[in-house]
Amino acid sequence: MPDQPITHLRHVDIAVQDYDKQVAFYEQQWGLTKAGSDGDVTYFAAEGSPEQYVVRVRRSQDKRLDLVSFGAADRAAVDGLATRLATDGVQLVSEPDKLQTPGGGYGFRFFDVEGRTIEISTEVAARTHRRIEEREDIPVRLSHVVLNSPEPERMMAFYEKYLDFRLSDTNVHPQLGGIMWFLRCNPQHHSMAIARCPHVSLHHASFEMRGLEEYMRGSGRLMRDGIHKVWGPGRHRAGNNTFTYFHDPNGNTMEYTTELETLDEDTWHPHLYSTDDPETSDVWGTSNPMNDFVSREMFNDPDRGLFVAPPV
C-alpha cells in the first residue's frame, strides 16, 4: 500500500428534509451542475472538476451527512486500507468491490470512530469538465470538508492512524484549547478539518473558486440574492484561504473559498494559531467578527445518521 494512500476529497453527500429547495439552491444559486437524478437523489458536479459529482443530495426525513468520499491511489491502497481498518475492529459497511454510483470504480465504505459513513474509492471514471473563465463566479471544484466533533482529539488520532492524514495547523482558544485541526492528504493545506462542537455534525463543505475576482463576485451575488451569510468575506491565517460562509436552505453551512495554500510537505511544521489574535480568524479584517454567535451558526443540527449507512 502507498505511504499516502488517500489522494483527495471526492464528494460530500447529504440528506435533507427540504429536498426541493436544496436542489434548487445548488443548481440556481450555488453554481453547480445537475449531473443526474432519480427523483429522490440528485448528483451535482462542479464544472471545473473531473469528479462525476462533488455533492449528492438525498430526500429524507432525517437530516444527516450521508457520507464523505475520498479518492485512493489504486486498488492496493483500497484493499490495504480496508484490511487495516477491519483488522482493528473498525466496522466496514461494505467490502472492497465494484461501485454502483456514477462513474463506477472500486471501493468500500466504513464507519469512522464517531459513526459517519466514509467511502474510499479508486478507478472512478473522469467526467468531461472545462476551464472556468475569468469572472465566471461558479465553483471550480470541491475544496475541503470540516466535521464537527465532541471528541476532536480522538477523531484526529483516528484519521491519522487509519487514513494517514497529516496535521497542517491547529487553531487554539485561550480557554478551550484546540478548537480546529487542519488535516491534509496531499500538499493542499487541508482537505479536511475537525472542529470542536457539542455534537457530531457537518461543520461546512467548501468550494474552490477560480480566483479572487470570481470568489468576490460569487460572494456578492449570493448576498444580493438574500442567502443567509454566516461569516465573511475574509481570509483565514491557517491555509491562507479566503472565506465566505452561507447557510443552505436546510441550515448546513457552505463556503466559497480560493487560494488555499499548497505546502512543501518535506519542510512544513504545524503551527498553533491563537484565536486571541483576530488575524487568526481573518487576516484581512474585512469579515464580521468571529464570536460565539457565529460559532453556533456552524454547529448545525446533530447528525441523525450515525452508525446507519445511507440507503444509496
Side-chain angles (χ1 to χ4, degrees), residues 187-204:
Q188 178 179 301
H189 181 273
H190 57 281
S191 293
M192 169 182 169
I194 301 166
R196 188 180 297 280
C197 178
H199 52 257
V200 174
S201 59
L202 172 66
H203 185 282
H204 75 265

Side-chain angles (χ1 to χ4, degrees), residues 205-238:
S206 177
F207 298 78
E208 178 82 17
M209 307 296 277
R210 184 181 190 276
L212 281 177
E213 176 75 20
E214 293 76 19
Y215 154 75
M216 287 301 294
R217 282 177 177 266
S219 297
R221 173 174 50 78
L222 292 174
M223 286 188 275
R224 282 198 202 100
D225 285 352
I227 305 301
H228 176 58
K229 180 178 72 73
V230 178
W231 191 29
R235 184 186 285 275
H236 293 309
R237 171 169 284 167

